[in-house]
Amino acid sequence: MIQVKQVDHTFLIGKKGKEKKVPVLKGLSFEVKQGEIVAIVGKSGSGKSTLLHTIAGFMSPEQGSITVNGQETANLNETERAAFRLNNFGFIFQNFQLMPGLTAIENVELPLKLKGISPKQRKASVQQMMDKVGLTEVGDHYPNELSGGQQQRVSIARALITNPPILFADEPTGSLDSETEQDILLLIQNLNQTLGVTFVMITHDAEVASIAHRTFKMHDGELVKGDVR
Amino acid sequence: MLFKDQVDFVRQHIKKNKLRVFMTILAATMGCAFLIVLASIGFGIQDTMRNEILQDQAITEVEVYPKENEELNLEEIKSVPYIGAIVQRTSMDVMTSFHLDDRSISGNLQLTDMKEEEQSNLKLSEGRLPQNNSEIVVGYHFAQNLWTDTERAKVEEGVEEADLPKGYEKSIIGKKVSLSLQSYDADTTFPEQWHFTVVGVVDNPAKDWIVDQSILMDKSWLPELTGVYEANAEQIPEKFTYATTKIYTSSLEHVKSVTKDLKDMGYNVYSVSEQLEQIDVFFMAFKIGLIFVGTIAILISSIGIFNTMTMAVTERTREIGVMKAIGASPKLIQRLFLMESAWIGIIGTVLAVIISYAVSFLANWLLPMVVGAALGEDGLQDLSITFSLIPWQLVVLASAISIGVAMISGWRPARKATKIDVIQALRQEL
Ligand SMILES: Nc1ncnc2c1ncn2[C@@H]1O[C@H](COP(=O)(O)OP(=O)(O)O)[C@@H](O)[C@H]1O
Ligand SMILES: [Mg+2]
């Protein structure tokens, strides 16, 4: 499903002329299989987010190859990448990243709108998804009227509404209390089992990593330990 | 994304910033309305002047004069295509007195070819054209200026306009008038007298200030009249008859070609088309100038659109980043922002067109009164002056400029939106 081969990336930081090179990804290679929950753990600053951003196509790594569903992502231009994300990826962010001006239902509906699905079809599938993530009651609420856990459920529903084969989650429970965290993890597990969605999760939290089938540990841009289980 | 969803999306954003968008639209409206109203003055005055010209003279009329010391070659002129009639009127340098009972007038005798007059569609206010050479047609003011000697003496002393004698008030049609000639430098008239029957009166001249007391008489009288003049006058000038030649084309569209052909023959030509052309050239330059000034107003208002759109993009950086992350293409994002600036431009333009028509209507209604009051005259309303005219071409042009400028000023902010970096945008705090 996802192959990462020899990926290198270096950031330049500091003032112009006095830049310092900061290697963030150092020859990373690993694979994610269909239907897996994979957790990438590591200390803050170890390069987890940067790795995810390269796989998602938000940025291109300096070196190495990333293929998703057999497609070399480096070969796609901006427009093609956007379409590729729309069709293949869902995203769950630490701080939810919902549209403040849209209700829960409208937020979930957004990717379907981007795909050009008709309002009628949208309505049915959004309602179904809202039930699935347990938000039947609060569909008309705006994000600032929802609790953190509810917001993350909206964000999960939005990520899943287009039935993408792969979901990326960057610290999905980072902003939630431990009880809510548990609910969200159960939901992720449940969706993985019922829908067969592949999850790539980033976390620095061992609790979160516990639901993963496999765990990679990152340290200073390198995988120090693969396949914890 | 379906077009309807795109429109919804744009509408939602506009709703969120009603006041800011409203102010921007207001600026766009003012700019565009300024352009239309300003240019409409050019169109209005041009229209007024054109109408004035077209009203004042027969529009198919072409005046033609020979070059100095030369004669017109009528045969040659006849060969020009699309000529309907050639009216050559000859006048003599002599006082012509017409008498009716105890009334008389010193008229402006014109000897002409009645057939050609008929073909030129000479308009009469009453009666008909002469059918033989003892019949004449008189000018519109002929009868009212037929005064008795006492009336004339009174007028020469000076009277108010309202107290002017009314002249011959009965119908002049069918009346017999007598003609006698007199040199300008002699005190008495020549002994010869002729009698004519008035059968028609020429139509009121278009210009209010023209007093038409001419007499149209068949040209067969010319040899006899000049003979009498030569027999009686003490001094005979070398030239005492003058001919003016007017050519009437078969329709307005041929005036231009006939004018050109006659010019090519080496004559001096004067026609409405010439005059209209000069006016059109002048007003074309005038209108371009006005539109240019108006466009500056639109450009100023476009700064507002640029600011509004730039702010909108900056404010929504995080949202745009999320949209891109979940799969919105840069093209779509650019289009959504261009639609927003286009919407501002379109609403602004529509309002501007409505306001411009209202302003134009009010100006045409109020200005004659205001100007009339200021000048202390009240006849101005009747002059039918158009101060402001908005033809559809002006609306189309102004709309194109206004909406075009709105989209151009929205272009850079929209490009900026597409360039937003997803990672940076997602990092922004809520
Ligand atoms: N755009 C950037 N420019 C420069 N340095 C960056 C940039 N993004 C991340 N970094 C650096 O790369 C390293 C890894 O960051 P990140 O991938 O966010 O780590 P993690 O998600 O594991 O906390 C950090 O040292 C961070 O400062
Ligand atoms: Mg991170």
Side-chain angles (χ1 to χ4, degrees):
Chain A
M1 181 120 271
I2 303 173
Q3 282 96 27
V4 178
K5 281 184 204 140
Q6 294 299 322
V7 168
D8 279 300
H9 195 80
T10 305
F11 282 118
L12 290 177
I13 56 163
K15 280 189 189 148
K16 263 221 169 109
K18 289 193 210 161
E19 295 104 332
K20 269 205 315 204
K21 283 188 176 176
V22 181
V24 181
L25 304 177
K26 302 173 187 167
L28 282 182
S29 298
F30 67 95
E31 208 171 316
V32 178
K33 297 197 199 75
Q34 189 171 350
E36 276 189 313
I37 301 180
V38 166
I40 298 170
V41 297
K43 277 194 293 188
S44 183
S46 55
K48 308 182 297 290
S49 294
T50 307
L51 173 62
L52 186 136
H53 293 156
T54 56
I55 301 172
F58 297 161
M59 57 180 277
S60 300
E62 278 175 345
Q63 269 175 35
S65 124
I66 297 166
T67 48
V68 178
N69 269 343
Q71 173 68 52
E72 176 75 52
T73 50
N75 293 343
L76 301 174
N77 66 26
E78 269 239 51
T79 306
E80 289 165 342
R81 267 187 215 188
F84 191 77
R85 282 201 289 271
L86 186 58
N87 291 319
N88 295 285
F89 299 157
F91 292 95
I92 304 167
F93 302 98
Q94 175 176 354
N95 41 15
F96 325 128
Q97 302 288 11
L98 300 176
M99 300 288 178
L102 301 181
T103 64
I105 283 184
E106 287 166 345
N107 265 289
V108 174
E109 202 180 6
L110 189 57
L112 293 180
K113 280 191 182 174
L114 291 178
K115 281 193 113 170
I117 311 272
S118 74
K120 238 200 223 154
Q121 279 174 285
R122 289 199 306 248
K123 208 172 171 227
S125 45
V126 167
Q127 201 48 58
Q128 225 179 332
M129 184 55 69
M130 295 299 278
D131 296 344
K132 206 174 282 175
V133 297
L135 289 174
T136 319
E137 306 291 314
V138 294
D140 292 328
H141 291 215
Y142 285 92
N144 63 4
E145 299 163 353
L146 296 172
S147 72
Q150 286 172 320
Q151 287 188 54
Q152 196 57 302
R153 283 166 190 269
V154 174
S155 134
I156 292 172
R158 182 181 65 186
L160 281 169
I161 191 74
T162 54
N163 289 320
I166 303 164
L167 243 82
F168 294 106
D170 193 347
E171 311 269 11
T173 59
S175 310
L176 303 175
D177 58 72
S178 56
E179 211 169 308
T180 319
E181 175 179 294
Q182 215 48 52
D183 289 348
I184 294 294
L185 292 179
L186 279 174
L187 178 63
I188 289 176
Q189 246 178 337
N190 177 265
L191 292 169
N192 171 256
Q193 277 157 20
T194 55
L195 304 175
V197 193
T198 308
F199 274 87
V200 177
M201 255 186 342
I202 286 176
T203 181
H204 59 270
D205 185 338
E207 183 86 26
V208 176
S210 68
I211 66 162
H213 302 134
R214 289 194 295 152
T215 303
F216 298 112
K217 185 158 186 178
M218 263 187 94
H219 183 71
D220 275 351
E222 289 173 302
L223 288 184
V224 290
K225 209 159 100 191
D227 280 355
V228 169
R229 269 179 286 171
Chain B
M1 207 170 184
L2 298 174
F3 183 70
K4 190 188 156 293
D5 289 331
Q6 297 177 16
V7 174
D8 272 354
F9 189 92
V10 170
R11 212 174 36 205
Q12 210 149 24
H13 277 173
I14 287 168
K15 254 202 206 148
K16 243 188 350 195
N17 270 303
K18 268 197 211 114
L19 184 63
R20 190 171 73 197
V21 173
F22 171 78
M23 295 310 275
T24 315
I25 290 176
L26 190 65
T29 303
M30 280 161 59
C32 185
F34 180 74
L35 165 63
I36 297 178
V37 170
L38 195 65
S40 80
I41 296 169
F43 283 96
I45 297 175
Q46 181 182 23
D47 188 65
T48 304
M49 290 191 69
R50 279 187 71 111
N51 283 344
E52 194 87 333
I53 289 163
L54 292 175
Q55 226 174 45
D56 281 353
Q57 53 205 106
I59 50 175
T60 56
E61 187 178 287
V62 179
E63 278 179 53
V64 52
Y65 303 99
K67 283 264 165 68
E68 248 174 289
N69 302 325
E70 283 175 37
E71 293 282 316
L72 285 176
N73 182 345
L74 289 184
E75 287 310 310
E76 183 187 41
I77 291 174
K78 265 181 201 152
S79 70
V80 172
Y82 307 118
I83 283 188
I86 302 172
V87 176
Q88 190 164 49
R89 290 182 182 176
T90 308
S91 60
M92 292 166 64
D93 204 356
V94 62
M95 265 172 79
T96 57
S97 297
F98 285 85
H99 291 265
L100 175 57
D101 304 336
D102 58 341
R103 295 168 182 277
S104 67
I105 186 171
S106 179
N108 169 22
L109 178 61
Q110 307 261 352
L111 293 132
T112 183
D113 184 331
M114 288 303 167
K115 287 251 160 46
E116 296 288 344
E117 293 282 0
E118 188 179 352
Q119 282 197 340
S120 78
N121 285 322
L122 178 69
K123 290 218 171 49
L124 301 179
S125 68
E126 51 181 323
R128 56 168 172 81
L129 282 173
Q131 281 163 354
N132 59 56
N133 66 4
S134 70
E135 295 179 341
I136 57 171
V137 166
V138 295
Y140 188 79
H141 302 100
F142 182 88
Q144 71 190 55
N145 286 343
L146 263 177
W147 293 335
T148 61
D149 288 345
T150 41
E151 279 172 346
R152 182 161 294 112
K154 218 175 81 185
V155 171
E156 272 160 19
E157 273 171 31
V159 289
E160 290 289 310
E161 211 180 300
D163 297 335
L164 270 179
K166 298 276 187 296
Y168 190 79
E169 289 183 277
K170 284 178 263 175
S171 169
I172 192 126
I173 302 287
K175 297 291 179 302
K176 277 211 153 47
V177 293
S178 64
L179 161 68
S180 51
L181 305 181
Q182 178 183 359
S183 290
Y184 281 114
D185 48 9
D187 293 334
T188 54
T189 57
F190 304 153
E192 289 82 356
Q193 273 211 350
W194 299 267
H195 296 276
F196 298 96
T197 310
V198 177
V199 294
V201 177
V202 179
D203 207 3
N204 195 3
K207 280 189 182 129
D208 292 342
W209 43 268
I210 289 184
V211 177
D212 180 9
Q213 44 190 43
S214 62
I215 297 94
L216 295 183
M217 184 181 287
D218 194 84
K219 67 175 180 188
S220 60
W221 289 100
L222 189 61
E224 189 176 334
L225 294 179
T226 52
V228 166
Y229 179 82
E230 279 164 348
N232 289 284
E234 287 169 7
Q235 285 178 318
I236 298 163
E238 218 173 296
K239 185 173 161 74
F240 63 93
T241 62
Y242 302 94
T244 55
T245 311
K246 289 177 178 175
I247 288 165
Y248 294 84
T249 63
S250 46
S251 76
L252 179 60
E253 68 217 74
H254 298 126
V255 171
K256 209 169 168 178
S257 75
V258 169
T259 303
K260 187 180 172 300
D261 289 349
L262 290 173
K263 269 191 176 165
D264 290 347
M265 288 175 179
Y267 297 122
N268 292 322
V269 185
Y270 191 75
S271 69
V272 183
S273 88
E274 285 257 288
Q275 215 175 339
L276 287 180
E277 223 160 82
Q278 283 167 8
I279 285 187
D280 287 348
V281 168
F282 170 77
F283 273 96
M284 183 53 76
F286 185 50
K287 285 185 293 190
I288 288 174
L290 292 179
I291 288 170
F292 180 77
V293 173
T295 303
I296 292 175
I298 288 186
L299 288 177
I300 292 171
S301 78
S302 79
I303 296 173
I305 297 177
F306 180 85
N307 279 338
T308 297
M309 294 313 296
T310 305
M311 277 175 75
V313 170
T314 310
E315 269 178 7
R316 291 180 221 151
T317 298
R318 193 185 62 81
E319 289 179 55
I320 295 163
V322 175
M323 293 271 289
K324 285 177 91 172
I326 64 178
S329 73
K331 275 199 196 103
L332 174 67
I333 286 165
Q334 179 173 356
R335 187 158 63 240
L336 291 173
F337 280 95
L338 277 182
M339 278 169 72
E340 192 167 330
S341 53
W343 193 86
I344 290 173
I346 289 169
I347 297 294
T349 303
V350 169
L351 291 178
V353 170
I354 295 169
I355 290 172
S356 302
Y357 272 107
V359 169
S360 170
F361 177 80
L362 278 178
N364 287 333
W365 180 58
L366 280 177
L367 273 182
M369 291 198 227
V370 173
V371 173
L375 297 178
E377 291 175 38
D378 44 38
L380 228 56
Q381 287 100 306
D382 313 327
L383 275 178
S384 79
I385 295 175
T386 311
F387 284 98
S388 159
L389 178 78
I390 307 177
W392 65 266
Q393 291 95 331
L394 176 58
V395 172
V396 169
L397 181 72
S399 304
I401 292 176
S402 174
I403 296 171
V405 167
M407 292 190 68
I408 291 170
S409 43
W411 182 263
R412 268 193 67 90
R415 288 294 298 172
K416 192 181 157 198
T418 68
K419 297 260 161 64
I420 283 172
D421 180 58
V422 177
I423 301 168
Q424 297 290 344
L426 292 180
R427 210 171 270 162
Q428 270 195 7
E429 279 310 303
L430 285 169

